[in-house]
Amino acid sequence: MADSSQHNGKSNGQANGTAANGSAEGSAGPWIGLPAALFGIDGPFAEFMRTANPFSLFQQNMDLYQQFIDIALGKSTIAPDPRDWRFQDETWSKNPFYRRLSQAYLAMTDAVEKLIPEDLSDDDRSRAQLAVDIVTSAFSPTNTLLGNPAAALRAIETKGDSVAKGFRNFVDDWLNNEGMPSQVDDSKFQVGKNLGVTPGKVVHRTDMFELIQYTPTCDTVYEIPVLLIPPQIGRFYFTDLAPGRSFAEYAVSQGLNHFVVSWRNPQPEHRDWGLENYIESALEAVETVAAITGTPKINLIAFCAGGILSSIVAAYLADKGKDTINTLALCVTMLNWKVNASIGAFRLPAMLSVAKAQSEMKGVLGGNDLHKVFTWLRPNDLVWNYWVNNYLMGDTPSAFDILAWNKDNTNLPAQLHKDFLRIFEENLLVKPGQFRALGTDIDLGKIQCDNFVVGAVTDHLTPWKACYQSCNFLGGDSTFALSNGGHVAALVNPPSNPKAHHFIAPGTAADADAWMETAVKQKGSWWEGWAKWVAERSGKRVPAPKQQGSKKFPPLANAPGDYVSQ
């Protein structure tokens, strides 16, 4: 769900910011960074204006005028949410001017929110809400120096030095980050040195992927191995971040014979790589893991969009009468796209057509372009938060491994983009037989292996209640785990995290709300729940392999491999 250290489509293999994320051409601050489709004639803002009720608009105006009078007279009781980072400074409550300023802004925001009609469809509501969020967040007084008491005080205390630093940060982002505020100082991270360092070997390589087998840390491993399929968007090493925060490191510590796919970063010449090519690659990875370990079955776990691919692979194999997949785990993956989710804001035919045309023309959908779309789904947290930090406060963004990975993104080939948009637009996966792969009608209900589904409580891309629905579409016995955190933070959630917790229960309830009534809260990460669950289904323990690969699949390179740096 991912900006990168790429320049002209190539990566330096480091999350260190030494390569620019773009150029000054076409950059003019965050509003230009926002994909133009959002405010085009068929975008969410136009949708919001079309759906606004004229009578409601008049009523809200009258109510707003009355609130402004109460605010001016000091009678208003409007107060910001205690969790709103923008109004944490005590000046907002103690200073009469700033208190009134915040109240006026919050009153305006509330009035605009109330203009959204109640009877809209989920997609229309998502589009209208997205437009409201973008506009109202932009008008927050905290985005200006004089309207931000903390920034104004910093400027006085530093005798203007913070303003000078902020201006330098702004110019640097204008020139090197396509006008978007930088989210991370990635200069302290380098893949292969302090990220992606769990020992292992590349044991198979194709034009599309490398297969990595990690070195066991136990004398014995479970008989049935684990293969992790990451999303085709983004680099695989978010499953192997810094030591102590690495899923790969944790998996091998639990006695699992762990493999992972590292997708190649597609370039314009790979424009024809479509979903069927990725399905074939995933099937090849499954067969290779089985051949190396000498087992007829494997455990498949997938993150985000990798779960879409893995569910298709599992259904395909099931249709062919093959029980190769021993267990299937889908983490923050949505299979049903007709749900109330922020991503539904983009289910507009004109917007989808523009998106398809752009990727077809370029050969790929650039990672930066996709990152901007996801960024603007949460403008307060992912745009204006950094605007204030970098430009008004004059600070450097923090060094954080997840954000460094998020910046190091990859492209999406035009054909895969087209295939994903078709699934998204027509919601094909949950309609048995409506999606065909390699000449086979895909029916998720034919997947009879046990499955483990993970959602994240604050996920804005794949809401956890939508993730839960996967339990209803898959055959076999389901277990659902609800993790703390958002879309990526829930995945990078080691047991050492003192805040880690999850709810877990069989995924047998008709809906997510009913499941929640039966769920048990567990302290610690869902990693632990999944590791125990998969270990119970992975056969006996056998001597750990003394070396990675096999005679047919000899080691080709050390992990994290070559494709991660392309």
Side-chain angles (χ1 to χ4, degrees), residues 29-100:
W31 284 110
I32 298 302
L34 172 64
L38 294 182
F39 284 89
I41 191 170
D42 289 307
F45 185 73
E47 184 75 14
F48 170 68
M49 296 304 295
R50 283 194 295 269
T51 58
N53 186 307
F55 177 77
S56 177
L57 180 62
F58 174 78
Q59 185 63 48
Q60 289 301 324
N61 277 336
M62 297 304 296
D63 291 345
L64 185 59
Y65 293 150
Q66 182 59 54
Q67 290 191 63
F68 283 163
I69 293 173
D70 291 342
I71 290 169
L73 296 176
K75 296 180 180 180
S76 176
T77 58
I78 297 175
D81 188 322
R83 297 168 298 180
D84 193 330
W85 63 268
R86 297 172 296 178
F87 303 104
Q88 294 296 310
D89 192 283
E90 62 179 12
T91 307
W92 289 107
S93 59
K94 292 184 177 181
N95 183 287
F97 169 77
Y98 280 109
R99 183 175 65 252
R100 286 171 169 79

Side-chain angles (χ1 to χ4, degrees), residues 514-557:
W515 172 87
M516 194 64 189
E517 294 178 0
T518 67
V520 177
K521 185 176 182 179
Q522 301 278 357
K523 193 174 182 179
S525 170
W526 68 268
W527 291 9
E528 298 167 279
W530 168 80
K532 179 181 178 182
W533 176 89
V534 77
E536 292 170 348
R537 292 161 174 78
S538 295
K540 61 184 179 180
R541 296 192 73 137
V542 298
K546 295 182 179 179
Q547 62 181 24
Q548 282 63 66
S550 64
K551 186 175 181 179
K552 184 178 179 181
F553 298 99
L556 304 175

Side-chain angles (χ1 to χ4, degrees), residues 203-279:
V203 293
H204 185 52
R205 180 184 291 128
T206 72
D207 284 344
M208 294 186 69
F209 74 95
E210 290 179 330
L211 179 65
I212 295 171
Q213 181 181 14
Y214 288 103
T215 304
T217 56
C218 303
D219 292 334
T220 61
V221 296
Y222 287 97
E223 186 176 20
I224 300 177
V226 172
L227 171 62
L228 191 154
I229 304 288
Q232 301 92 317
I233 310 162
R235 302 183 189 276
F236 88 95
Y237 68 85
F238 81 99
T239 70
D240 185 24
L241 288 178
R245 291 169 49 77
S246 164
F247 183 85
E249 178 188 51
Y250 178 77
V252 296
S253 76
Q254 301 303 299
L256 298 172
N257 194 358
H258 189 59
F259 294 75
V260 67
V261 165
S262 172
W263 298 112
R264 187 177 185 180
N265 183 20
Q267 302 303 311
E269 61 266 27
H270 305 130
R271 64 172 58 243
D272 295 326
W273 286 0
L275 187 52
E276 286 210 340
N277 300 102
Y278 282 91
I279 293 169

Side-chain angles (χ1 to χ4, degrees), residues 227-439:
L227 171 62
L228 191 154
I229 304 288
Q232 301 92 317
I233 310 162
R235 302 183 189 276
F236 88 95
Y237 68 85
F238 81 99
T239 70
D240 185 24
L241 288 178
R245 291 169 49 77
S246 164
F247 183 85
E249 178 188 51
Y250 178 77
V252 296
S253 76
Q254 301 303 299
L256 298 172
N257 194 358
H258 189 59
F259 294 75
V260 67
V261 165
S262 172
W263 298 112
R264 187 177 185 180
N265 183 20
Q267 302 303 311
E269 61 266 27
H270 305 130
R271 64 172 58 243
D272 295 326
W273 286 0
L275 187 52
E276 286 210 340
N277 300 102
Y278 282 91
I279 293 169
E280 290 173 335
S281 291
L283 287 168
E284 184 174 348
V286 167
E287 293 169 355
T288 304
V289 171
I292 289 174
T293 58
T295 57
K297 294 186 175 185
I298 72 161
N299 298 302
L300 195 60
I301 180 170
F303 290 176
C304 193
I308 297 174
L309 174 62
S310 296
S311 63
I312 295 172
V313 166
Y316 173 85
L317 290 170
D319 185 82
K320 298 301 181 184
K322 299 179 180 180
D323 59 353
T324 310
I325 306 303
N326 182 56
T327 66
L328 175 66
L330 303 178
C331 307
V332 297
T333 296
M334 271 198 329
L335 300 178
N336 178 20
W337 290 89
K338 289 290 186 181
V339 294
N340 186 12
S342 57
I343 199 71
F346 299 98
R347 199 195 325 271
L348 200 64
M351 294 177 68
L352 296 177
S353 297
V354 169
K356 291 176 188 175
Q358 287 179 338
S359 63
E360 288 176 355
M361 179 176 63
K362 298 177 182 178
V364 294
L365 176 64
N368 285 353
D369 296 331
L370 194 59
H371 180 266
K372 290 172 193 170
V373 172
F374 292 141
T375 294
W376 282 100
L377 289 175
R378 293 173 58 198
N380 266 334
D381 294 332
L382 300 181
V383 178
W384 300 111
N385 178 31
Y386 297 103
W387 172 280
V388 171
N389 179 81
N390 301 0
Y391 308 153
L392 303 187
M393 301 299 290
D395 290 333
T396 300
S398 61
F400 191 31
D401 55 5
I402 291 180
L403 292 178
W405 164 81
N406 193 49
K407 185 178 179 181
D408 189 17
N409 55 31
T410 61
N411 302 318
L412 195 65
Q415 184 59 50
L416 181 60
H417 183 215
K418 181 178 179 180
D419 294 338
F420 272 156
L421 288 179
R422 178 169 171 256
I423 290 175
F424 170 60
E425 187 175 12
E426 301 179 30
N427 200 32
L428 296 175
L429 289 184
V430 297
K431 302 173 183 176
Q434 292 301 300
F435 181 79
R436 287 180 61 82
L438 306 180

Side-chain angles (χ1 to χ4, degrees), residues 126-147:
S126 294
R127 282 190 282 271
Q129 188 64 57
L130 178 59
V132 167
D133 289 345
I134 291 172
V135 172
T136 57
S137 65
F139 282 101
S140 174
T142 53
N143 297 335
T144 66
L145 184 61
L146 294 180

